[in-house]
């Protein structure tokens, strides 16, 4: 019973308590909705805090308002300033607050009743009354000029204020958790004051005693505030944006408006005749930002002009008003076309827009325009919340700010006080003028900033001129400052803000610069934001260990990619199903500044979906790029082995290590005639050319002089309007800025820059390694929606890819670069690519529609020649390249080239001497051990390269002295790292082969292009093997490791339309004779479609660069793919910069294909029904009836794949012969055809494997084409400069042209 009683008492007590709390809570909520709450605790706090805080608040208000009044002084007054301000000793009072609890979950809504009545003394104590101070404001109004002036006090005192204010707080989840606060008055507040404009405290007269004046002033106050913060209008305070530090008017990108023309323009005035139209550009119908030319008497004008506008929000609308020009009266508006900028968010490039011109709701014509939006480039947001540096760009938006100045030289004014204002300059021209302040030597400008577009950062110079405003006389200069934009950015990184003015005794200015890179392609006609690199970073990826395994079945397929500012610059091959890959690859990345950082990320390649990250690490450029005392960047060639842990997103626990080395090699300081410093022009001419090149000048219309109409301060205007709108260039001011630049302390501290080198093309090409800079200018293409790619040497991943050309006639305006390892043997390929839906399933893949290949050196020298004479090395002219597609169409692309040597010694392992094609002649063997009972063996040889079988000879029955006399070809990616060995085996029927002996073959002992016969002693009981080896250096593309049906280092190339081009004889490292790289494009002879299956590299259409204007000179020291050649003069290597037709030198005729032998190896077949007896037939297509050249053994498939051990055969044919492959099921009574397909032999001499789609399955084959002149190399000039293995090649002789 006691327990029950205790339980009952406890339970009932809890119930009563909870019931009481619930009732009180509900009653409190009801009171919140109907009653108000007292705030006496706040009033008590303010009584004690107000005497402490009020003086500080008043001083802050005086400092802020005084500057505003100084800039707003009417012209008839000398100055206007706040001399005294106090809010009194009685604090404001919070009467009550009402809360609305039923508002939305993320809204806090309250009504605050407040009052500020300092003259109400009913609640004051006697002590407070004794020390009471009334609110008071004294404005000093100075009339007259200079020394003849008098200050009069305007007094406002005893003011009171009360009202009811609604406060709405919008909450958010991210910091600072308050998005914005909106305030408004519920009803008109009560305002009272005493104003004495004359007489001061003694004789002052309150103007409110004048009948009707008080009510008039009250109505003016309420009228101004009503549209701002009287309910329902609210005054928003963006708390989140304010705390984030991002200005609301921050530029987000550049919009290029190309106005082509208009048609059908109608004049609303029927008697006015044909209009003289011109178009302007504005945002939301505000001030004009740009203007086209005027076309006289034409209702269908063509302007074809581009105007650039800096955009701060995509919520605006682009308005294009069209006017009829009138010489003597105001121009008449014909109508306005409108375009909503929000459409650019999804499609940044809007082309061929037909915008209707509307006036009074009626159509007045149509205007044709293109609108392109180029957003500000931003760094990649990392998973830890940090942001990478944005990519470097030569084009962008600069925000130049002069915030304030101090200690200006007051001696230049008779009264010691100045009326200062500042002018901001770009390349010597005024782009912005601040407000003019009154009587201050320490001005603070609230509008001293300007955003403008810069299309050439390295040529831009920023200037500041501070002047003293004089009404009658010319405004004297108080100080100047001029600095390069790049130099100021460097000083900003060091924390520099204050700059000492030049040309003045005292004075300094606080200036700031913000740079937002923008990649503008295809419209500027410039470099598209390209910055010349200061050097290259060499990354040697050796291997990785213990990587993450993200696969449910099997292992990851890792590769490494290199990111610079979030942009992929290169990647290694993929190692399939391997957590410990050995890449041993080198990637070169151009660097632009010490602020950059490289991200090395190991990825897992996926066939479906995006590749997944296995971890990353970062490399800071500042750790390897150092500037010497002479101003030149130093070589960092230590190549210290590094082993970095890989972390997901750069954070978390590490898993796996990446082993690599890093080195930096700077570029030579080559003189560029485009640089403003080297241009031999006058100061005025230089500034004129710079300003016209940048196209960025614009002036704030609010601050420009009345005599000069200006455009909006957010946007550049066309160069044609600059002189009219901004003002002419002042040569005297430019000279003063230039002289003052020598006095500036900040610029004097800069390190002396090294002298620039000027090299002729002859001297330039002697440098083996360097950066090839190519500029795509324009193109006349046969197809639209294509892009141009530049591929160097053996790379499949392009060094540069342009933006998609939307039209057949396009202006590229893009610049890229590529690293050249060995200039004299380098090859450059230009190709056009498009997206094609091959399978009809809606998925598009890349397809090459035209390709052009030639020697990099020949192409470079051709572009560096002008009018048959040599010019300065980097002075270049546009050159037109012709690419002919397989369908007979012609594509013309205009390019220009530069070459900047890099100070480095190429590692021998990267030389072309270290890679190429190896021919092995298996001759015979002697004294082999007997493995069979009959005292003989059945020997055959098996060759392994890097653990993979590359060839197996035929079996010689019952002999100890076999003679095979067979040969095979295999590509070698690196002789230094190659593990090449041979096994001699004894074949046994139905049993495992017996090992007779093995031997290792050292490829380092071979001299390029020189056959060498070697005798290898087998490590078995006895026996020797005689081989003949021939190594031909050539570029070899590395393939994906662990897969026999994938090839390609960086990316899977797509379909190539048209058969590979063949010519007579091969020169220049596999360049077809009889074609012109620069003039004729390539000459296709077949129009059949060809598809490169399973990622194999398409054998390039090879072109020879030729020019009939320049004589030919012999060329030596360059390897060729054509193999051995006779010593006859018809096979001499020749420079293709010019000269006669190379066909005569080759002894061939254009249009005639190469003849030789095609070597086939049928490796495997897959995808056919299990249990089928598979047989592969190969037919040579010659004439109407294909000829059977080989059929394999019939092998019954026990699984999905069938393999053949030794199915090799040879066919004499030409290089462009068609072959047909058929797969049949071998049956007793008639074979059944399972599928057939056409294919071409691989003419790249690399012997790559390719998988050919035949019916429902595929057949894997290896093909190599060998020319007839393969048999002899004696006397070949190719070996003249090739010394021992990996030795340094002699420098190429000086090459010139005959007059």
């Amino acid at each position: 019973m006691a327990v029950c009683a205790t339980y009952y008492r406890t339970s009932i007590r809890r119930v009563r308590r909870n019931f009481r709390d619930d009732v009180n809570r509900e009653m409190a909520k009801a009171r919140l909705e109907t009653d108000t709450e007292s705030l006496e605790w706040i009033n008590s706090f303010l009584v004690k805090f107000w005497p402490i805080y009020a003086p500080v608040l008043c001083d802050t208000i005086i400092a802020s308002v005084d500057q505003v009044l100084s800039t707003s002084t009417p012209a008839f007054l000398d100055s206007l300033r706040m001399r005294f301000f106090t809010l009194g000793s009685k604090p404001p009072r919070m009467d009550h607050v009402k809360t609305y609890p039923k508002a939305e979950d993320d809204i806090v809504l309250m009504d605050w009743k407040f009052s500020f009545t300092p003259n109400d003394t009913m609640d004051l104590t006697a002590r407070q009354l004794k020390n009471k101070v009334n609110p008071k404001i004294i404005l000093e109004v100075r009339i007259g000029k200079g020394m003849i002036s008098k200050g009069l006090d305007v007094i406002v005192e005893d003011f009171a204020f009360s009202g009811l204010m609604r406060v709405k707080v919008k909450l958010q989840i991210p910091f600072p958790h308050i998005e914005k606060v909106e305030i408004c008055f519920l009803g008109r507040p009560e305002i009272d004051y005493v104003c004495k404009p004359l007489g001061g405290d003694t004789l002052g007269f309150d103007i409110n005693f004048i009948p009707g004046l008080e009510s008039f002033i009250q109505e003016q106050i309420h009228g101004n505030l009503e549209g701002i913060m009287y309910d329902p209008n609210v005054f928003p305070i963006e708390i989140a944006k304010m705390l984030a530090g991002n200005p609301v008017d921050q530029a987000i990108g550049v919009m290029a408006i190309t106005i082509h023309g208009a048609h059908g323009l109608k004049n609303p005035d029927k008697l006015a005749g044909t209009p003289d139209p011109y178009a302007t550009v504005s945002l939301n119908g505000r001030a004009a930002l740009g203007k086209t030319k005027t076309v006289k008497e034409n209702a269908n004008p063509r302007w074809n002009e581009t105007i650039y506008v800096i955009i701060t929000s995509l919520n605006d609308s682009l308005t294009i008003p069209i006017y009829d020009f009138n010489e003597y009266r105001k121009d008449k508006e014909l109508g306005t076309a409108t375009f909503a900028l929000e459409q650019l968010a999804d499609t940044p490039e809007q082309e061929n827009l037909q915008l209707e011109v509307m006036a009074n709701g009626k159509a007045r014509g149509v205007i044709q325009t293109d609108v392109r939006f180029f957003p500000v480039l931003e760094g990649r947001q990392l998973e830890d919340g940090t942001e990478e540096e944005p990519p470097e760009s030569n084009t962008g938006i600069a925000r130049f700010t002069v915030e304030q100045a101090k200690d200006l030289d007051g001696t230049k004014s008779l009264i010691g006080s100045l009326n200062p204002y500042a002018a901001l300059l770009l390349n010597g021209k005024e782009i912005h003028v601040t407000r003019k302040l009154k009587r201050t030597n320490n001005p603070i400008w609230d509008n001293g900033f300007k955003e403008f577009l810069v299309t050439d950062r390295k040529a831009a110079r920023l200037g500041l001129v501070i002047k003293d405003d004089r009404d009658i006389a010319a405004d004297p200069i108080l100080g100047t400052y001029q600095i390069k934009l790049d130099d100021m950015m460097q000083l900003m990184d060091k924390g520099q803000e204050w700059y000492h003015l030049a040309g003045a005794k005292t004075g300094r200015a606080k200036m700031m610069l913000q740079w937002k890179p923008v990649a503008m392609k295809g419209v500027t006609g410039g470099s598209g934001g390209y910055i010349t690199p200061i050097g290259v970073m060499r990354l040697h990826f050796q291997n990785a260990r213990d990587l993450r395994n993200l696969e449910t079945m099997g292992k990851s397929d890792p590769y490494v990619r290199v990111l610079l500012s979030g942009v992929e610059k290169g990647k290694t091959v993929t190692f399939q199903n391997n957590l410990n890959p050995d890449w041993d690859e080198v990637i070169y990345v151009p660097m632009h500044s010490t602020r950059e950082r490289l991200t090395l990320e190991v990825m897992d390649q996926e066939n479906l979906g995006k590749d997944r990250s296995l971890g990353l690490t970062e490399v800071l450029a500042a750790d390897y790029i150092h500037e010497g005392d002479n101003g030149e960047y130093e070589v960092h060639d230590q190549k210290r082995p590094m082993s970095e842990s890989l972390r997901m997103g750069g954070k978390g626990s590490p898993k796996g290590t990446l082993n690599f080395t890093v080195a930096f090699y700077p570029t030579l300081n080559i003189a560029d005639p485009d640089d403003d410093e080297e241009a031999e022009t006058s100061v005025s001419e230089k500034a004129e050319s710079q300003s016209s090149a940048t196209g960025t000048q614009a002036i704030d219309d609010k601050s420009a002089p009345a005599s000069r109409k200006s455009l909006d301060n957010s946007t550049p205007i066309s160069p044609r309007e600059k002189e009219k709108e901004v003002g002419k260039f002042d040569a005297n001011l430019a000279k003063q800025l230039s002289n003052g630049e020598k006095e500036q302390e900040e610029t004097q501290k800069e390190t002396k820059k090294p002298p620039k080198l000027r090299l002729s093309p002859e001297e330039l090409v002697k440098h083996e390694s360097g950066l090839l800079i190519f500029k795509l200018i324009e193109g006349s293409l046969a197809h639209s929606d294509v892009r141009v790619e530049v591929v160097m040497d053996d790379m499949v991943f392009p060094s540069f890819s342009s933006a998609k050309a939307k039209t057949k006639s396009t202006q590229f305006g893009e610049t890229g670069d590529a690293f050249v390892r060995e200039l004299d043997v380098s090859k450059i390929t230009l190709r056009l690519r498009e997206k094609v839906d091959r399978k009809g399933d809606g998925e598009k893949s890349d397809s090459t529609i035209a390709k052009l290949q030639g020697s990099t050196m020949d192409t470079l020298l051709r572009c560096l020649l002008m009018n048959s004479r040599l010019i300065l090395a980097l002075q270049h002219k546009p050159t037109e390249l012709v690419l002919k597609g397989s369908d007979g169409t012609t594509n013309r692309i205009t390019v220009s080239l530069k070459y900047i040597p890099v100070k480095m010694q190429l590692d021998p392992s990267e030389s072309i001497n270290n890679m190429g094609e190896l021919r092995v002649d298996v001759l015979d063997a002697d004294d082999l051990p007997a493995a069979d009972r009959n005292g003989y063996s059945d020997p055959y040889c098996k060759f392994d390269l890097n653990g993979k079988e590359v060839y197996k000879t035929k079996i010689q029955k019952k002999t100890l002295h076999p003679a095979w006399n067979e040969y095979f070809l295999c590509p070698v990616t690196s002789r230094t790292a190659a593990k090449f060995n041979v096994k001699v085996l004894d074949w046994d029927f139905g049993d495992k082969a017996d090992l007779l002996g093995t031997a290792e073959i050292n490829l380092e002992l071979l001299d390029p292009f020189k056959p060498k016969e070697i005798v290898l002693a087998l490590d078995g009981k006895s026996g020797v093997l005689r081989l003949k080896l021939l190594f031909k250096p050539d570029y070899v593309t590395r393939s994906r490791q662990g897969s026999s049906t994938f090839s390609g280092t960086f990316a899977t190339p797509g379909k190539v339309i048209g058969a590979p081009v063949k010519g007579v004889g091969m020169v220049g490292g596999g360049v077809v004779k009889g074609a012109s790289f620069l003039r004729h494009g390539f000459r296709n002879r077949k129009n059949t479609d060809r598809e490169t299956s399973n990622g194999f590299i398409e054998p390039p259409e090879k072109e020879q660069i030729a020019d009939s204007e320049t004589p030919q000179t012999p060329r030596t020291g360059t390897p060729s793919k054509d193999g051995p050649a006779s010593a006859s003069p018809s096979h001499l290597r020749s420079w293709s910069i010019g000269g006669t037709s190379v066909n005569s030198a080759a002894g061939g005729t254009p249009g005639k294909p190469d003849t030789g032998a095609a070597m086939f190896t049928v490796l495997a077949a897959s995808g056919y029904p299990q249990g089928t007896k598979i047989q592969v037939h190969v037919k040579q297509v010659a004439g109407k009836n294909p000829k059977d050249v080989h059929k394999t053994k019939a092998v019954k498939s026990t699984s999905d794949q069938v393999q053949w051990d030794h199915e090799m055969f040879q066919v004499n044919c030409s290089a462009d012969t068609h072959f047909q492959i058929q797969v049949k099921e071998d049956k007793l009574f008639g074979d059944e055809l399972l599928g057939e397909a056409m294919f071409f032999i691989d003419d790249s001499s690399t012997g790559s494997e390719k998988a050919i789609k035949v019916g429902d399955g595929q057949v894997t084959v290896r093909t190599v084409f060998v020319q007839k002149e393969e048999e002899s190399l004696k006397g070949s000039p190719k070996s003249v400069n090739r010394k021992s293995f990996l030795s340094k090649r002699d420098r190429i002789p000086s090459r010139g042209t005959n007059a």
Side-chain angles (χ1 to χ4, degrees), residues 120-137:
D120 185 4
T121 60
M122 297 296 295
D123 56 345
L124 298 181
T125 63
R127 183 177 180 182
Q128 290 174 337
L129 284 172
K130 183 179 179 180
N131 298 326
K132 180 178 178 295
V133 177
N134 289 330
K136 189 173 186 180
I137 302 174

Side-chain angles (χ1 to χ4, degrees), residues 291-309:
K291 175 184 172 183
T292 68
K293 62 185 177 183
T294 301
V295 180
K296 297 293 184 180
E297 297 184 357
N298 195 335
N300 302 293
R302 302 298 299 175
W303 292 296
N304 291 322
E305 296 186 29
T306 300
I307 299 172
Y308 303 101
V309 179

Side-chain angles (χ1 to χ4, degrees), residues 765-1054:
V765 298
K766 292 181 180 179
H767 295 272
E768 184 179 50
S769 302
L771 281 170
L772 183 69
I773 301 176
F774 36 83
K775 179 179 179 181
L776 300 182
I777 302 174
E778 60 183 2
S780 178
L781 310 175
H783 302 270
S784 58
D785 293 328
V786 299
R787 67 181 185 274
V788 180
E789 292 183 350
V790 178
V791 184
M792 298 301 300
D793 301 330
D794 55 339
M795 300 297 178
V796 178
F797 187 81
S799 301
F800 169 79
S801 183
S802 72
K804 184 183 293 185
K806 296 296 185 68
T807 59
K808 295 182 180 180
S809 179
T810 183
Q811 297 287 332
F812 289 106
E814 299 183 51
T815 304
D817 52 38
F819 184 71
V820 179
R821 290 172 294 181
E822 296 175 290
L823 180 60
D824 59 341
V825 296
S826 175
K827 294 180 294 186
I828 182 173
T829 302
L830 205 69
R831 65 189 185 191
L832 295 179
R833 305 270 280 178
E834 68 174 353
K835 294 284 187 180
V836 174
D837 184 6
R838 296 196 188 102
K839 300 180 180 179
D841 55 1
E843 295 185 3
K844 294 184 177 181
S845 56
D846 289 333
S847 172
T848 300
I849 60 175
K851 182 160 63 173
L852 190 61
Q853 186 182 72
S855 167
T856 304
M857 178 179 285
D858 295 346
T859 310
L860 176 65
L861 287 174
R862 170 64 187 270
C863 292
L864 295 181
L865 292 174
M866 182 182 294
N867 299 329
S868 300
R869 62 183 178 86
L870 298 179
I871 58 173
L872 292 178
L874 287 183
Q875 188 173 349
H876 54 282
K877 71 164 187 174
T879 303
E880 185 179 84
L881 305 182
V882 180
L883 292 77
K884 288 188 178 180
S886 58
D887 54 358
T889 56
T890 300
N891 303 273
R892 300 178 183 273
I893 300 177
T894 303
V895 303
S896 62
L897 297 180
K898 296 181 183 180
Y899 182 69
I900 302 181
V902 173
K903 292 188 287 187
M904 68 171 291
Q905 189 73 31
L906 187 68
D907 192 281
S909 62
E910 299 179 62
S911 172
I912 195 174
N913 274 344
N914 191 41
M915 65 185 75
E917 179 187 81
L918 177 66
R919 170 172 172 154
V920 180
D921 286 77
V922 187
L923 302 178
D924 51 35
D926 192 21
D927 195 22
L928 295 180
D932 297 335
R933 295 178 181 178
N934 56 9
Y936 296 99
S937 297
D938 302 326
Y940 67 94
C941 298
K942 186 169 71 172
F943 292 84
D944 294 337
L945 179 60
N946 297 327
K948 182 180 179 181
E949 181 182 332
V950 294
Y951 186 73
K952 186 167 62 174
T953 66
K954 295 180 180 179
I955 302 171
Q956 301 293 324
K957 295 292 185 71
K958 297 181 181 181
T959 179
L960 300 180
H961 310 281
W964 290 283
N965 292 319
E966 301 179 30
Y967 75 94
F968 66 93
L969 303 173
C970 66
V972 178
T973 57
S974 174
R975 284 201 284 166
T976 56
K979 296 180 180 179
F980 193 36
N981 55 67
V982 58
K983 296 179 182 179
V984 182
L985 302 166
D986 172 56
W987 176 82
D988 288 329
F989 181 77
D991 197 1
K992 185 179 179 181
D994 299 323
L995 179 64
L996 301 181
T998 62
E1000 291 187 0
I1001 306 173
N1002 189 357
L1003 300 181
E1004 299 182 18
L1005 302 178
L1006 302 179
D1007 290 330
F1009 302 106
K1010 293 184 179 180
K1012 184 172 184 178
E1013 186 175 301
I1014 60 174
V1015 178
L1016 301 174
L1018 302 178
D1019 61 358
K1021 296 180 180 179
S1022 63
V1024 293
L1025 177 65
R1026 191 163 65 98
L1027 304 175
K1028 184 179 179 182
L1029 305 177
L1030 171 63
F1031 180 75
K1032 295 186 300 179
D1034 196 4
Y1035 288 115
V1036 176
T1037 303
R1038 298 190 63 178
S1039 62
R1040 181 178 183 179
Q1041 302 298 311
S1043 173
S1044 61
T1045 58
F1046 185 97
S1047 178
T1049 303
F1050 296 120
T1052 304

Side-chain angles (χ1 to χ4, degrees), residues 264 266 268 270 334-337 356-366:
K266 299 176 182 179
K270 296 182 179 180
L334 302 180
T336 302
E356 198 167 27
V357 180
M358 303 294 294
N360 299 324
K362 296 181 180 180
R364 296 293 180 181
V366 175

Side-chain angles (χ1 to χ4, degrees), residues 201-462:
D201 289 326
T202 306
L203 303 176
F205 175 75
D206 186 5
I207 62 173
N208 289 327
F209 294 155
I210 300 175
L213 185 60
E214 180 181 12
S215 61
F216 173 76
I217 295 176
Q218 291 275 1
E219 289 299 324
Q220 290 296 317
I221 295 175
H222 291 311
N224 290 327
L225 293 179
E226 185 174 7
I228 300 176
M229 54 190 313
Y230 285 3
D231 189 55
N233 300 317
V234 297
F235 182 77
I237 304 175
E238 301 285 350
I239 302 295
K241 292 183 179 179
M242 293 171 60
L243 294 181
N246 297 325
V248 179
D249 60 346
Q250 188 177 37
I252 62 173
V254 177
M255 180 172 60
I257 304 104
T258 302
I259 304 177
H260 297 292
H263 63 269
L265 296 180
K266 299 176 182 179
N267 200 323
D269 187 357
K270 296 182 179 180
L271 302 178
T274 306
D276 303 329
Y278 67 88
T280 61
V281 173
S282 62
L283 293 176
N284 297 329
R286 296 193 292 262
L289 308 177
K291 175 184 172 183
T292 68
K293 62 185 177 183
T294 301
V295 180
K296 297 293 184 180
E297 297 184 357
N298 195 335
N300 302 293
R302 302 298 299 175
W303 292 296
N304 291 322
E305 296 186 29
T306 300
I307 299 172
Y308 303 101
V309 179
I310 295 178
I311 299 298
T312 59
S313 173
L314 291 179
N315 296 325
D316 297 331
S317 293
L318 171 67
T319 52
I320 307 178
I322 300 180
Y323 293 90
D324 178 20
F325 173 76
N326 292 296
E327 188 173 358
Y328 301 107
R329 62 182 187 275
K330 185 179 179 180
D331 297 345
K332 183 184 299 181
E333 184 176 350
L334 302 180
T336 302
T338 305
F339 175 78
L341 298 186
E342 59 185 12
Q343 302 177 47
L344 299 174
D346 299 327
T347 309
E349 295 187 8
Q350 301 275 348
E351 296 185 341
N352 300 320
L353 295 175
Q354 304 289 324
L355 304 179
E356 198 167 27
V357 180
M358 303 294 294
N360 299 324
K362 296 181 180 180
R364 296 293 180 181
V366 175
I367 185 171
Q368 301 96 23
T369 181
D370 297 339
V371 180
R372 295 185 178 95
F373 177 65
F374 304 97
V376 170
L377 300 178
E378 298 179 348
R380 187 179 57 160
Q381 190 77 23
L382 302 179
E383 295 185 7
D384 59 357
T386 60
E387 187 172 319
E388 286 185 335
E389 288 286 334
E392 292 286 339
S393 176
N394 198 39
T395 304
I397 301 171
R399 184 184 180 98
F400 186 29
T401 304
V402 54
E403 188 175 285
Q404 58 179 312
K406 287 187 177 180
D407 306 326
L408 295 180
D409 188 5
T411 59
K412 295 188 178 182
S413 174
L414 296 177
I415 59 175
S417 296
L418 303 169
N419 301 327
Y421 69 94
L424 304 181
L425 292 86
L426 175 65
N427 297 323
K429 283 194 175 183
E430 235 177 55
I431 58 173
H432 182 65
V433 179
T434 67
R435 293 189 177 93
K436 298 174 181 179
L437 305 183
K438 297 289 186 178
R439 290 181 174 267
T440 176
N441 295 347
N442 300 289
I444 300 176
W445 293 287
D446 60 344
N447 70 330
F449 63 90
K450 175 67 180 177
E451 280 189 331
F452 47 90
L453 174 65
V454 177
T455 58
D456 190 3
R457 193 179 81 180
K458 66 179 181 180
R461 285 179 178 269
L462 303 177

Side-chain angles (χ1 to χ4, degrees), residues 41 45 64 77 126 159 577 776 816 861 952 1078 1082 1180 1182:
W41 66 273
F45 170 77
S64 301
L77 297 179
F159 44 85
N577 200 33
L776 300 182
L861 287 174
K952 186 167 62 174
L1078 296 178
F1082 62 74
Q1180 181 178 355

